Amino acid sequence: RGMVAAGMALLTLWALVNLFSVFLLVVTAFIFMAALLPYVEWLCRHGFNRIVAVLLILLGVLVTLGTVIAIVAPAMFDEFRDLRSNLPEYAEDFEDFMSDLGFETDRWDLPERAESIEWSKLISGSQAVNFGQRAVFGIFSGLTVAVLTAYLLVDAGRLRTFVFRFIPRGREPDAQHFMNALSRVVGGYVRGQLITSVIIGLYTTAVLLIVGVPNAVAFGVLAAFADIIPLVGAFIAIVPAVVAAFQESPTQAVIVLAALLFYQQFEDRYLVPRIYGQTLNLPALVVLVAVLIGGELMGIAGVLLALPTAAAIRVVLDYYLDRREGGTGIPESLREGEVLAPDKSPAG
């Protein structure tokens, strides 16, 4: 038996190594299923056919993503073209602004350096082809995840029945509590992140409109998407908006920078703890390590999936530790309703 167990473990490890990309796509699909399942169940309880409910939810997600791309891409292209054309002038304005603040800028030579940039060499032909290949692979992976998510949402009941066939008799309640906690943590994180993204998007748009920065809506949408990315998301949300404001005037850039930094502090210290509560109770070191591992394995996609995956692992560890101490396996903080679900799904 020991040799058979060791052989199965090696075979499983070999399969994970060789099929790792497929495994990650499946994990991604399960994460999206956990986030969207309460809404599908809600539509089903209100008279919708399950397949129709799944298609409506996925259509809404795809339309949202398409709208984001349609808003952000043209505006970012215009901003980049304007920055490329007027970079020496902006560099000179920046030197003058810093000089007014008391910095010694005589040796910076920023306008001359800006003029010496050879934009055609920044993106060579091979780099463009490589980027195109990655874009095609990303689109294909996204479609694969969408199809897998649709199948999981449609067959959630049969999938649950199949999984429970492997649960020993008498352990079904424990398994049900564990699956509910896992769904709450992972799905609640994704849905909570949606709310914080909407808030920062609206706030950024309002600030830029008040200050008078062009393409305010596009920068707001970009900030909403960047807010999903742990650690570096704040940098991505702030820098493009500040650069665009600086193209108008240094004063506008300072106002935008101060307003967005204020919001980042408000979100980190007040908004996130109240939206998530105990849903994502991960130490900062765990967040950093999870993001680094996710980025190394899957790039941007890995960074986005790092926190929900780490939260799921935390549920498994909490279950094991609580059971070892004679508890139910699910801490009291994880037995509440799911975050931002339309209403509580019936147990079982």
Side-chain angles (χ1 to χ4, degrees):
R1 291 182 180 179
M3 293 180 63
V4 171
M8 293 297 295
L10 291 175
L11 182 62
T12 302
L13 181 61
W14 175 85
L16 286 176
V17 171
N18 288 274
L19 302 175
F20 189 67
S21 58
V22 177
F23 172 76
L24 290 177
L25 293 179
V26 174
V27 170
T28 304
F30 270 101
I31 290 175
F32 282 116
M33 182 197 73
L36 300 177
L37 184 59
Y39 298 99
V40 173
E41 299 289 352
W42 184 83
L43 289 176
C44 291
R45 290 195 296 272
H46 287 76
F48 284 85
N49 177 272
R50 190 172 189 86
I51 296 178
V52 174
V54 171
L55 291 177
L56 286 175
I57 294 295
L58 292 182
L59 180 62
V61 173
L62 293 176
V63 168
T64 301
L65 291 177
T67 303
V68 168
I69 295 174
I71 293 175
V72 173
M76 294 301 103
F77 178 78
D78 291 341
E79 291 292 336
F80 176 77
R81 183 174 56 186
D82 180 70
L83 181 65
R84 175 181 175 180
S85 302
N86 303 302
L87 185 59
E89 179 183 344
Y90 296 147
E92 184 176 357
D93 293 339
F94 181 75
E95 279 194 351
D96 294 339
F97 175 71
M98 297 303 292
S99 178
D100 293 339
L101 294 178
F103 291 92
E104 181 63 42
T105 62
D106 294 338
R107 299 182 180 180
W108 289 8
D109 297 328
L110 294 182
E112 291 78 6
R113 295 183 181 183
E115 291 179 353
S116 64
I117 295 177
E118 298 183 15
W119 296 95
S120 60
K121 293 184 178 180
L122 292 180
I123 302 179
S124 63
S126 60
Q127 291 174 327
V129 171
N130 186 40
F131 178 79
Q133 291 176 342
R134 291 187 178 182
V136 171
F137 178 77
I139 294 174
F140 176 77
S141 298
L143 293 176
T144 302
V145 169
V147 173
L148 289 174
T149 303
Y151 275 114
L152 291 173
L153 289 172
V154 170
D155 291 334
R158 281 183 285 185
L159 178 64
R160 177 185 174 278
T161 302
F162 174 77
V163 171
F164 270 76
R165 292 177 61 184
F166 299 92
I167 304 299
R169 287 186 178 275
R171 303 299 298 271
E172 291 87 352
D174 291 339
Q176 184 63 53
H177 286 308
F178 174 75
M179 293 175 65
N180 288 343
L182 193 64
S183 174
R184 179 182 180 271
V185 168
V186 176
Y189 166 74
V190 176
R191 292 188 296 271
Q193 181 61 66
L194 175 63
I195 294 299
T196 57
S197 292
V198 170
I199 294 175
I200 190 176
L202 294 175
Y203 177 84
T204 302
T205 301
V207 169
L208 296 182
L209 286 175
I210 293 173
V211 175
V213 178
N215 297 318
V217 176
F219 284 109
V221 174
L222 179 63
F225 180 78
D227 191 63
I228 302 174
I229 305 174
L231 303 181
V232 299
F235 178 82
I236 299 175
I238 291 176
V239 171
V242 173
V243 172
F246 187 83
Q247 295 177 16
E248 302 300 314
S249 75
T251 303
Q252 289 175 304
V254 172
I255 294 174
V256 171
L257 177 62
L260 295 185
L261 287 176
F262 167 79
Y263 176 82
Q264 290 294 338
Q265 293 299 312
F266 169 76
E267 180 180 285
D268 292 341
R269 301 178 182 274
Y270 181 85
L271 195 60
V272 169
R274 281 157 180 77
I275 288 181
Y276 295 121
Q278 296 296 320
T279 299
L280 192 67
N281 186 21
L282 295 175
L285 179 61
V286 174
V287 172
L288 176 60
V289 173
V291 170
L292 293 176
I293 293 175
E296 181 66 23
L297 294 177
M298 283 187 65
I300 295 298
V303 171
L304 297 178
L305 297 174
L307 291 190
T309 303
I313 295 174
R314 184 180 71 87
V315 172
V316 175
L317 292 176
D318 286 344
Y319 179 84
Y320 170 74
L321 294 175
D322 196 58
R323 288 292 296 177
R324 191 178 65 176
E325 296 175 358
T328 62
I330 305 299
E332 190 66 32
S333 61
L334 296 180
R335 299 177 196 171
E336 305 169 0
E338 293 180 69
V339 175
L340 300 174
D343 51 34
K344 187 176 181 180
S345 302

